[in-house]
């Protein structure tokens, strides 16, 4: 579905599906160049990163492997607490591997900080982060992000893997959810 299918449910549109796809291609080319000759493992964080993982990996010209983690954040409502529980761990031993974590969005960066600390303890050869979207608060996080798709304002956005109550993940465009949807 695209923004036309949910037009009354979005307060504003930030990026169209076409803009997202164009940016994904640029980042894929950058990753191809940066990891040339290396054996790259992409680690996706379920469930939001499903769309970006599928598009990014297919836009790449070089081989990559993929694995997934599922985590749950303890915290009230839409606020991240940084206290994280692993619901599904990796199938891959990442010791000595070049690992690129693929994220949908970074807000406070608290979830990612926990994840990176956890993965770093497994002694990968390298550990970098790619996120499709980044909110302003992420800039003050201690976690360094190597690849960023787009910056977003501090609003609750949906689409391209980002959900509200399990919906809108399959929206190809990315926009701010209209308040009447959640009030
Ligand atoms: P952080 O720990 O960086 O504050 O939170 C990151 C997680 O919160 C993301 O992986 C995502 O699941 C969720 N999140 C943060 N901002 C948004 C948003 O605007 N929309 C949606 N749907 N999820 C968000």
């Amino acid at each position: 579905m695209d923004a036309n299918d949910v037009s009354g449910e979005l307060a504003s549109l930030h990026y169209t599906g076409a803009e997202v796809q164009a940016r994904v291609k640029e980042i894929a080319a950058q990753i191809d160049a940066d990891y040339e000759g290396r054996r790259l493992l992409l680690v996706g964080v379920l469930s939001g990163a499903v769309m970006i993982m599928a598009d990014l990996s297919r836009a790449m010209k070089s081989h990559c492997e993929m694995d997934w983690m599922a985590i749950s954040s303890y915290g009230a409502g839409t606020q991240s607490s940084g206290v994280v529980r692993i619901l599904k761990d990796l199938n891959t031993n990442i010791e000595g591997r070049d690992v690129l974590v693929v994220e949908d969005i970074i807000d406070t960066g608290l979830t990612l900080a926990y994840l990176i600390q956890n993965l770093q303890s497994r002694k990968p050869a390298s550990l970098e982060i790619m996120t499709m979207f980044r909110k302003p608060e992420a800039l003050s996080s201690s976690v360094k992000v190597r690849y960023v798709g787009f910056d977003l304002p501090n609003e609750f956005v949906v689409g391209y893997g980002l959900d509200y109550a399990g919906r809108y993940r399959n929206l190809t465009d990315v926009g701010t959810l209209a308040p009447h949807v959640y009030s």
Side-chain angles (χ1 to χ4, degrees), residues 35-150:
Y35 287 90
E36 196 184 345
R38 288 154 75 186
R39 192 177 154 215
L40 178 61
L41 176 70
L42 300 177
V43 168
V45 184
L46 294 169
S47 301
V50 166
M51 304 299 170
I52 175 60
M53 185 77 138
D55 290 337
L56 182 73
S57 58
R58 286 179 298 172
M60 286 171 59
K61 306 285 185 199
S62 37
H63 288 291
C64 65
E65 292 164 46
M66 284 173 252
D67 203 345
W68 300 91
M69 282 184 90
I71 53 182
S72 111
S73 220
Y74 293 113
T78 56
Q79 291 298 307
S80 181
S81 66
V83 183
V84 171
R85 189 162 57 109
I86 295 177
L87 301 177
K88 185 225 167 284
D89 208 340
L90 296 174
N91 295 328
T92 315
N93 176 3
I94 63 167
E95 188 173 345
R97 297 291 308 268
D98 288 309
V99 175
L100 178 61
V101 173
V102 177
E103 268 277 21
D104 49 359
I105 189 165
I106 305 175
D107 183 2
T108 62
L110 287 171
T111 310
L112 198 57
Y114 169 87
L115 192 66
I116 292 301
Q117 190 185 26
N118 181 293
L119 294 177
Q120 199 75 67
S121 73
R122 307 181 196 194
K123 301 186 171 43
S126 69
L127 182 60
E128 300 286 352
I129 301 158
M130 181 273 161
T131 186
M132 191 59 219
F133 301 105
R134 180 174 64 180
K135 287 192 178 175
E137 245 192 279
L139 296 171
S140 46
S141 163
S142 58
V143 178
K144 277 187 66 190
V145 181
R146 179 139 180 204
Y147 308 97
V148 179
F150 292 118

